[in-house]
């Protein structure tokens, strides 16, 4: 079993950039763009418990902001279990993390995000 703990230093700048872009879009009330950056941060950080859990926390807060009962309810189990799944290496690679998709369904990773993993020297599978 491959245990994952913290986000690799080579991946951290990309993860942080997505969170900063999220915060800027959120502050500007561009909620569609903000959500897209959270999804990207989720894909980048989902293999690492703290990063994964943090993004689900932000998604839960976002759900409250947009008054989406579905998103709030959908994020609670993801928040509670996502980090554990990351720790033991059982995440659905490429899953964007929102309540609008099945929590354990893998998705293809967009080419630009795949390039981030390559640049960071991190495998996606």
């Amino acid at each position: 079993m491959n245990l994952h703990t913290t986000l690799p230093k080579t991946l951290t700048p990309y993860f942080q950039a997505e969170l900063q872009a999220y915060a800027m879009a959120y502050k500007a009330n561009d909620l569609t763009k903000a959500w897209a950056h959270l999804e990207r941060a989720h894909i980048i950080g989902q293999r690492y418990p703290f990063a994964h859990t943090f993004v689900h926390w932000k998604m839960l807060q976002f759900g409250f902001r947009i008054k989406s009962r579905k998103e709030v309810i959908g994020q609670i189990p993801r928040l509670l279990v996502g980090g554990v799944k990351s720790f033991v290496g059982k995440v659905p690679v490429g899953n964007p993390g929102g309540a609008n998709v099945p929590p354990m369904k893998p998705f293809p990773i967009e080419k630009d995000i795949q390039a981030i993993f390559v640049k960071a020297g991190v495998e996606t599978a």
Side-chain angles (χ1 to χ4, degrees):
M1 177 170 27
N2 191 8
L3 300 179
H4 298 273
T5 54
T6 58
L7 199 65
K9 289 181 196 263
T10 56
L11 204 52
T12 300
Y14 302 103
F15 180 74
Q16 291 298 328
E18 292 299 336
L19 292 176
Q20 288 171 349
Y22 157 75
M24 289 173 52
Y26 185 87
K27 188 175 180 179
N29 205 35
D30 187 345
L31 300 180
T32 301
K33 188 174 183 180
W35 182 256
H37 286 293
L38 276 182
E39 289 180 323
R40 290 173 60 84
H42 181 269
I43 293 166
I44 293 168
Q46 74 182 133
R47 292 182 68 203
Y48 310 97
F50 299 112
H52 192 181
T53 301
F54 183 74
V55 172
H56 281 299
W57 173 247
K58 297 310 263 179
M59 287 179 162
L60 176 65
Q61 291 175 325
F62 189 91
F64 279 114
R65 165 76 189 277
I66 64 169
K67 297 177 175 69
S68 170
R69 181 182 176 132
K70 179 182 178 181
E71 195 61 49
V72 170
I73 291 170
Q75 285 304 321
I76 292 170
R78 288 166 171 85
L79 184 62
L80 297 173
V81 179
V84 175
K85 293 272 191 189
S86 297
F87 184 70
V88 297
K90 299 288 183 189
V91 296
V93 174
N95 186 295
N100 61 328
V101 297
M104 292 306 295
K105 181 180 178 183
F107 284 79
I109 299 175
E110 294 178 24
K111 289 181 182 181
D112 66 317
I113 296 176
Q114 186 66 45
I116 289 170
F117 288 120
V118 170
K119 285 180 198 172
V122 175
E123 291 186 32
T124 57

